[in-house]
Amino acid sequence: MRLVIARCSVDYAGRLTAHLPSAPRLILVKADGSVSIHADDRAYKPLNWMSPPCTLKEGSGDDAGVWTVVNKAGEKLIITMEEVLHDSSHELGVDPGLIKDGVEAHLQELLADRIETLGEGYSLIRREYMTAIGPVDILCRDADGQTVAVEIKRRGEIDGVEQLTRYLELLNRDPHLAPVRGIFAAQEIKPQARVLATDRGIGCAVLDYNALRGIEDDKLRLF
């Protein structure tokens, strides 16, 4: 990973145009080719970014200090450096991925064994389907034979939807799997996460832990 802190301006040209005026920012260039620009706020969310596959060209001569990032659709992210304050590269190696707590791991196991919980005609492909950025909890097929990626959380929040979005972007590049749709499954799904998932065409499924374990719920139900 390369970390650059610089005073820079950023211009995006593609389906729309956007401009970030000059300011000190952090630029991350990851091993997968992605480039993202960050301010010192907004938590993890970048101000602008280019997802892989994309190419980065650093200018020379009269264009020295100008980075041009181009993706496969021809969209451009142009970063104009005015002053570089820090520039370093670090080898992070292969990440072991997120280790789920006992409940999430058990939910994954139970849902894989009872994959029809997601709908009639569903069939399991495999658990922990590996991608370049980590394992998808469950990969399965629906009754129509379409590939479905399932991300499982105990409590479903926005970061889980973002994680599933990244998996779907990768999986849909595989002609043997595409088209792949997503299901965000959790015991509880926060309203903001549900809105984001719906906006991105991702389905939501609320999991009943006791029902998956075969234990009847003793709470009264209103039908």
Side-chain angles (χ1 to χ4, degrees), residues 23-59:
R25 298 189 175 94
L26 168 65
I27 304 164
L28 296 181
V29 183
K30 295 188 177 180
D32 63 3
S34 63
V35 179
S36 57
I37 297 98
H38 299 259
D40 200 11
D41 63 2
R42 303 169 188 255
Y44 60 87
K45 187 174 178 63
L47 298 167
N48 215 326
W49 68 94
M50 193 70 83
S51 299
C54 58
T55 58
L56 167 61
K57 180 181 178 181
E58 298 185 42

Side-chain angles (χ1 to χ4, degrees), residues 46-123:
L47 298 167
N48 215 326
W49 68 94
M50 193 70 83
S51 299
C54 58
T55 58
L56 167 61
K57 180 181 178 181
E58 298 185 42
S60 59
D62 292 340
D63 291 327
V66 177
W67 289 14
T68 304
V69 188
V70 183
N71 67 11
K72 63 180 180 181
E75 298 168 318
K76 293 183 179 180
L77 195 64
I78 301 170
I79 307 168
T80 304
M81 310 283 190
E82 298 170 13
E83 181 184 9
V84 176
L85 305 173
H86 175 86
D87 189 345
S88 63
S89 297
H90 308 270
E91 289 291 339
L92 301 185
V94 178
D95 192 90
L98 180 68
I99 299 175
K100 294 181 176 293
D101 65 26
V103 173
E104 286 187 12
H106 199 204
L107 279 170
Q108 182 192 116
E109 180 182 350
L110 290 169
L111 185 59
D113 288 342
R114 297 166 177 78
I115 198 66
E116 68 280 357
T117 301
L118 297 175
E120 186 176 351
Y122 274 69
S123 59

